[in-house]
């Protein structure tokens, strides 16, 4: 049986978990679940990085001992898993006694092999980064990351002979195209390695300066450099060297963001080589989540808290958004408006609508019981082909961490199914009593819905299990063979009873826009600690525009759809009103009462495509129920129906 071992970085315990930590955790969890469904034995590791200057300083500021302080924050990271629906198999802390012993073993081994030596070094030390910078690396004398002036420190220390492995590493990266991915980061590392001589790595700190670390086994006056200690977590967690798990699961697939590319792409493989261990399998580097295109930071007050998002939108929707929105390797921008936009478009309109309409039809046409399919038509074969392609693309992209592309592919099937329903018109088959064809159409759709649900388990485990249950099934991860799903057909048994209704993904409201980051950026720092003042309404900040200007978010509240007028009649009690039946790609046509009788006769409207406000609250007009509004364009003289210039399927969005 093949195996899959995935890790997140171990997170520093000097700040609470935020969106960035949540994303890496969700991505690693999704990968674990995906490989499990693909039939691989999988192991998912995460944890916290607790030694070093950064933590020593933070605990001092909090008036606690480093261990007390680390205990608290590590607990917050541990609870991130359950909050996000992520299930790590192990949570490591670098203060765990087993980890400490392993670090000392590795240090001793590398020391004895001659790859650690004692020397003197003077350099520009950034406490934020916990590393020395060369003159060349500084920008105007400042740390490029923290924009602070590093301190010049000259001291005796132990060094790891990293330079010795430079040529080997270049060769290894060249021969293993998936060692660092996506390619842009692989190229970045290669050009760094090829641009000059790699320096040896300072791997100790004198106790006179820092005591919060792992003591070097060969010199009690020094502690280990925090990165050398932290990277070893990936093998100490598996019980290296003798642990059963180490033998089973090493080498790892690491997930990190671009900020820690260098330690993972250069320090870690050379450390492994020096210690006589096999290199890791792959380093998967994702981009940064920005908030409205600005870096997330405490001082800007724009840090996104995962708990708030999960509370507001639910864990499935939050996971879906993150995995759908970030193109692997690139930065992505987080805003609640974008999140709501995606949820409404992809989950409520496409997927949710599919489940809602199909379950409703199943109860209307078959009392909820899944029918047996009969002969298949060309349209059915075409749908199956679309499904196969969508699933294959999903799987090949997901396996390479390209979750956004994978989901995009799967949604071709989701949308394809909605279209297939519109074109097959089950309501007409029902009216014509064509039970045999109706049964085949419904089975086609339901079996594909099952396939969609199973592919979504890595992304939205909670919702996927519910979708399964709504189809009358119970989800058992050990019985699923995802790799076979594109090829097999008919796993959904006829006779199962589907749920009455779905309502898994209700539409959500766009939140009040958050104040632009720029406004907060300019606020004096002292104010940042005070309760946040409400920012002035955005319209006041904007250049003068039309008095009625609305926010884009307000426009997004409108659900404008294209539909075809099926029939139209005069209102029985009002001269100016018409009662119009419009096909909007839903199971049943919509009835809309429109004030158009003075401009149009019923015959003018039948067969025309119109634009409808589909989410207008229903109301009765002179005793007749109306569910929406038909839009027209008019001036003083003429009134014309607003329609689509080309042929758009009923239900198509106006955006
Ligand atoms: N302790 C080190 C890692 C040692 S691994 C042997 C560390 N910790 S950290 O707490 O700073 O975590 C960095 C990681 O958190 C990133 O690589 C990424 O996984 C995640 N993120 C933190 N901020 C992020 C964003 N804004 N966007 C995406 N992920 C980011 O570095």
């Amino acid at each position: 049986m093949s195996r899959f071992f995935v890790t997140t970085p171990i997170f520093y315990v000097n700040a609470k978990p935020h969106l960035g930590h949540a994303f890496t955790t969700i991505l690693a969890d999704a990968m674990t679940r995906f490989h499990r469904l693909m039939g691989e034995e999988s192991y998912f590791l995460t944890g916290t990085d607790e030694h070093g200057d950064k933590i020593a300083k933070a605990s001092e500021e909090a008036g606690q001992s480093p261990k007390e302080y680390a205990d608290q924050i590590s607990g917050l990271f541990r609870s991130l898993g359950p909050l996000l629906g992520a299930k790590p198999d192990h949570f490591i802390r670098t203060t765990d006694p087993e980890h400490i012993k392993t670090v000392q073993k590795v240090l001793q081994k590398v020391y004895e092999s001659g790859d650690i030596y004692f020397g003197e070094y003077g350099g520009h030390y950034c406490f934020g980064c916990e590393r020395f910078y060369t003159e060349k690396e500084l920008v105007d004398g400042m740390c490029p990351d923290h924009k602070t002036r590093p301190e010049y420190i000259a001291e005796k220390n132990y060094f790891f002979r990293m330079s010795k492995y430079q040529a080997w590493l270049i060769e290894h990266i060249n021969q293993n195209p998936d060692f660092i991915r996506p390619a842009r980061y692989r190229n970045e590392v290669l050009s760094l390695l090829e641009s000059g001589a790699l320096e040896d790595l300072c791997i100790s700190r004198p106790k006179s300066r820092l005591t919060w670390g792992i003591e070097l086994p060969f010199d009690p006056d020094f502690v280990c450099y925090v990165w050398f200690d932290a990277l070893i977590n990936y093998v100490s967690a598996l019980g290296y060297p003798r642990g059963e798990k180490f033998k089973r699961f090493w080498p790892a697939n690491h997930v990190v963001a671009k900020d820690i590319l260098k330690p993972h792409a250069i320090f870690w493989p050379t450390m492994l080589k020096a210690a006589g261990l096999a290199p890791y399998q792959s380093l998967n580097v994702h981009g940064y989540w920005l908030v409205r295109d600005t870096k997330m930071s405490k001082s800007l007050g724009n840090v996104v808290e995962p708990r708030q998002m999960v509370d507001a939108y639910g864990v499935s929707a939050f996971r879906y958004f993150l995995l759908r929105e970030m193109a692997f390797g690139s930065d992505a921008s987080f805003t609640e408006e974008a999140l709501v936009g995606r949820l409404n478009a992809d989950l409520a309109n496409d997927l949710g609508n599919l489940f809602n309409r199909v379950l409703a039809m199943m109860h209307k046409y078959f009392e909820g019981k899944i029918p047996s399919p009969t002969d298949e038509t060309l349209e059915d074969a075409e749908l199956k082909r679309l499904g196969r392609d969508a699933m294959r693309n999903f799987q090949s992209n997901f396996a390479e961490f390209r979750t956004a592309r994978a989901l995009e592919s799967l949604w071709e099937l989701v949308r394809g199914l909605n279209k297939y329903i519109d074109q097959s018109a089950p309501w007409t088959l029902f009216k014509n009593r064509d039970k045999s064809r109706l049964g085949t159409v419904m089975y086609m759709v339901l079996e594909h819905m099952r396939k969609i649900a199973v592919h979504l388990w890595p992304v939205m485990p909670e919702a996927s299990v519910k979708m399964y249950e709504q189809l009358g099934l119970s989800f058992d991860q050990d019985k699923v063979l995802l790799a076979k799903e594109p090829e097999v057909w008919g796993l959904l048994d006829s006779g199962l009873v589907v749920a009455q209704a779905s309502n898994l993904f209700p539409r959500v409201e766009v939140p009040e826009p958050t104040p632009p980051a720029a406004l907060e950026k300019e606020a004096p720092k002292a104010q940042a600690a005070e309760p946040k003042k409400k920012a002035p309404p955005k319209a006041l900040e904007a250049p003068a525009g039309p008095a009625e200007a609305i926010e884009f978010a307000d426009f997004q509240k409108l659900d404008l759809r294209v539909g075809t007028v099926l029939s139209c009649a005069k209102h029985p009690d009002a001269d100016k009103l018409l009662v119009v039946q419009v096909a909007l790609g839903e199971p049943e046509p919509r009835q809309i009462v429109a004030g158009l009788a003075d401009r149009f006769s019923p015959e003018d409207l039948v067969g025309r495509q119109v634009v409808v406000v589909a989410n207008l609250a229903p109301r009765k007009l002179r005793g007749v129920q109306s569910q929406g509004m038909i839009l027209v364009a008019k001036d003083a003289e003429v009134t014309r129906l607003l329609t689509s210039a080309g042929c758009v399927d009923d239900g198509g969005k106006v955006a």
Side-chain angles (χ1 to χ4, degrees):
M1 183 191 236
S2 69
R3 301 200 170 89
F4 181 77
F5 172 39
V6 69
T7 70
T8 69
I10 46 170
F11 303 113
Y12 286 132
V13 288
N14 63 340
K16 287 194 308 187
H18 61 55
L19 172 69
H21 310 115
F23 174 71
T24 312
T25 308
I26 289 171
L27 180 59
D29 180 71
M31 286 300 145
T32 313
R33 290 174 187 270
F34 174 75
H35 283 269
R36 245 171 225 158
L37 289 193
M38 294 295 275
E40 289 167 72
E41 192 185 358
S42 303
Y43 196 80
F44 167 21
L45 172 69
T46 187
T48 44
D49 187 357
E50 306 185 6
H51 292 124
D53 273 328
K54 229 195 266 279
I55 315 302
K57 282 207 166 144
S59 67
E60 214 175 280
E61 277 163 26
Q64 287 175 307
S65 75
K67 182 66 169 62
E68 273 170 354
Y69 181 78
D71 284 348
Q72 265 174 27
I73 310 235
S74 179
L76 297 179
F77 278 98
R78 196 187 282 271
S79 54
L80 200 56
L83 175 73
L84 302 171
K87 279 203 177 144
D89 294 287
H90 186 57
F91 187 95
I92 190 168
R93 301 181 57 181
T94 53
T95 47
D96 290 341
E98 281 311 309
H99 171 77
I100 294 172
K101 269 193 241 153
T102 309
V103 171
Q104 290 178 326
K105 264 188 223 155
V106 174
L107 281 165
Q108 188 68 36
K109 191 170 175 189
V110 180
Y111 182 66
E112 282 169 12
S113 73
D115 278 347
I116 289 176
Y117 64 92
F118 195 55
E120 179 147 8
Y121 185 77
H124 305 276
Y125 190 77
C126 170
F127 282 88
C129 302
E130 304 211 22
R131 59 168 279 214
F132 287 101
Y133 277 95
T134 59
E135 294 278 352
K136 231 171 58 189
E137 286 175 308
L138 299 177
V139 178
D140 298 330
M142 306 282 194
C143 159
D145 219 25
H146 291 86
K147 319 277 185 258
T148 51
R149 193 172 294 283
E151 214 171 291
Y152 187 84
I153 295 181
E155 63 191 13
K156 290 203 158 160
N157 263 313
Y158 286 88
F159 291 83
F160 164 50
R161 248 181 252 286
M162 197 157 72
S163 55
K164 182 173 155 188
Y165 298 102
Q166 181 169 7
W168 166 81
L169 183 56
I170 293 174
E171 173 78 5
H172 187 78
I173 297 174
N174 277 323
Q175 296 206 334
N176 296 276
D178 283 342
F179 189 61
I180 301 168
R181 56 190 179 188
R184 73 165 83 162
Y185 295 110
R186 173 174 186 263
N187 296 338
E188 194 177 313
V189 172
L190 276 175
S191 68
L192 193 83
L193 285 169
E194 281 160 354
S195 67
L198 195 59
E199 287 186 14
D200 289 343
L201 181 68
C202 176
I203 54 126
S204 66
R205 300 291 180 260
K207 276 198 186 161
S208 55
R209 187 151 72 75
L210 175 77
T211 52
W212 182 234
I214 299 178
E215 192 176 282
L216 297 188
F218 41 83
D219 191 336
D221 290 338
F222 290 84
V223 293
C224 179
Y225 170 42
V226 66
W227 268 105
F228 200 92
D229 154 3
L231 287 161
I232 291 172
N233 94 86
Y234 297 134
V235 294
S236 69
L238 296 178
Y240 168 79
R242 267 179 286 281
E244 182 51 31
K245 289 203 181 79
F246 179 72
K247 288 177 201 143
R248 284 172 91 72
F249 290 109
W250 187 257
N253 297 278
H254 298 304
V255 184
V256 298
K258 62 183 187 181
D259 56 333
I260 50 177
L261 176 63
K262 189 172 171 186
H264 282 84
I266 299 181
F267 304 176
W268 182 222
T270 55
M271 284 167 64
L272 286 166
K273 180 78 179 156
L277 272 90
Y280 52 77
Q281 179 81 32
S282 66
L283 177 65
N284 303 281
V285 188
H286 64 76
Y288 245 48
W289 278 100
L290 306 171
V291 173
R292 291 183 190 283
D293 301 319
T294 307
K295 199 169 170 180
M296 221 181 334
S297 89
K298 249 204 239 169
S299 56
L300 291 182
N302 64 353
V303 174
V304 177
E305 297 229 8
R307 182 170 295 281
Q308 278 178 8
M309 294 302 119
V310 170
D311 287 348
Y313 302 102
V315 64
S316 290
F318 184 50
R319 285 175 67 116
Y320 174 80
F321 173 73
L322 297 181
L323 294 171
R324 173 65 186 83
E325 195 73 8
M326 180 177 265
F328 182 46
S330 305
D331 291 348
S333 176
F334 185 93
T335 65
E336 270 184 89
E337 292 92 294
L339 187 147
V340 167
R342 259 250 177 260
L343 302 191
N344 283 340
D346 295 5
L347 297 185
N349 287 2
D350 294 338
L351 184 62
N353 184 32
L354 176 68
F355 269 75
N356 287 336
R357 66 195 299 209
V358 170
L359 297 189
M361 285 191 264
M362 281 296 296
H363 280 273
K364 185 157 179 195
Y365 307 151
F366 290 103
E367 289 167 337
K369 238 192 227 172
I370 298 179
S372 300
T374 56
D375 297 343
E376 286 177 15
T377 62
L378 280 178
E379 288 75 25
D380 301 343
E382 181 55 24
L383 178 70
K384 279 183 166 178
R385 195 195 51 75
L386 175 81
R388 264 196 309 273
D389 288 350
M391 287 181 270
R392 282 187 193 139
N393 287 337
F394 176 93
Q395 293 184 10
S396 58
N397 279 304
F398 217 89
E400 301 206 336
F401 289 75
R402 292 192 296 258
T403 58
R405 275 206 216 161
L407 286 167
E408 212 175 295
S409 301
L410 196 66
W411 250 248
E412 282 175 21
L413 176 58
V414 175
R415 294 198 194 98
L417 285 171
N418 276 320
K419 211 163 165 181
Y420 171 86
I421 296 173
D422 296 342
Q423 285 166 352
S424 312
W427 43 93
T428 311
L429 296 172
F430 180 66
K431 225 193 272 168
N432 297 344
R433 304 215 165 99
D434 189 350
K435 275 255 166 175
S436 156
R437 179 69 194 138
L438 181 60
T440 307
V441 166
M442 296 313 289
Y443 189 86
M444 276 285 150
V445 175
L446 288 162
E447 169 71 344
H448 276 117
M449 282 160 66
R450 186 192 63 75
K451 286 174 182 290
I452 290 168
V454 74
H455 278 83
L456 285 177
W457 188 69
V459 177
M460 311 191 268
E462 214 183 74
S464 156
V465 167
K466 285 195 187 138
M467 285 185 248
Y468 238 70
E469 286 166 0
Q470 292 181 348
L471 296 174
L473 297 160
S474 65
F475 185 83
D476 180 349
Q477 64 179 74
D478 297 327
K479 295 217 171 107
V480 171
L481 281 174
L482 197 67
K484 295 236 165 85
E485 280 294 341
E487 323 304 333
V488 294
W489 182 254
L491 298 189
L492 189 65
D493 289 334
S494 305
L496 290 174
V497 176
V498 302
Q500 293 275 354
S502 177
N503 294 331
L504 268 180
F505 304 110
R507 282 185 75 79
V508 262
E509 286 295 306
V510 180
E512 287 289 301
T514 41
L519 283 179
E520 301 212 2
K521 206 191 298 180
E522 281 155 25
K525 228 185 166 185
Q527 279 185 12
E530 292 171 18
K532 251 190 248 154
K533 277 198 224 144
K534 226 177 161 156
K538 215 174 168 193
L540 292 180
E541 301 295 319
E548 311 77 0
I550 58 162
E551 289 294 336
F552 178 62
D554 291 326
F555 167 71
Q556 273 192 312
K557 285 185 191 165
L558 286 176
D559 186 18
L560 299 177
R561 303 249 160 202
V562 173
T564 302
V565 176
L566 297 177
S567 62
C568 181
K570 292 205 158 152
H571 191 291
D573 289 317
D575 288 344
K576 288 193 175 157
L577 299 180
L578 293 174
V579 182
V580 194
Q581 309 294 331
V582 185
L584 274 186
E586 297 168 331
E588 300 290 349
R590 288 271 191 123
Q591 175 165 290
I592 297 176
V593 179
L596 299 173
D598 53 347
R599 305 281 171 156
F600 298 96
S601 65
E603 302 76 66
D604 294 336
L605 295 188
V606 176
R608 300 284 301 274
Q609 264 205 327
V610 289
V611 173
V612 167
V613 183
N615 60 342
L616 203 62
R619 64 182 186 132
K620 279 194 173 163
L621 289 169
R622 292 278 183 101
V624 178
Q625 182 77 5
S626 177
Q627 285 188 297
M629 182 173 143
I630 294 176
L631 294 183
V632 292
K634 60 180 175 183
D635 60 21
E637 284 168 31
V638 289
T639 300
R640 294 204 185 280
L641 288 174
L642 205 60
T643 184
S644 64
C647 185
V648 173
D649 286 336
D650 289 342
K653 250 182 109 56
V654 178

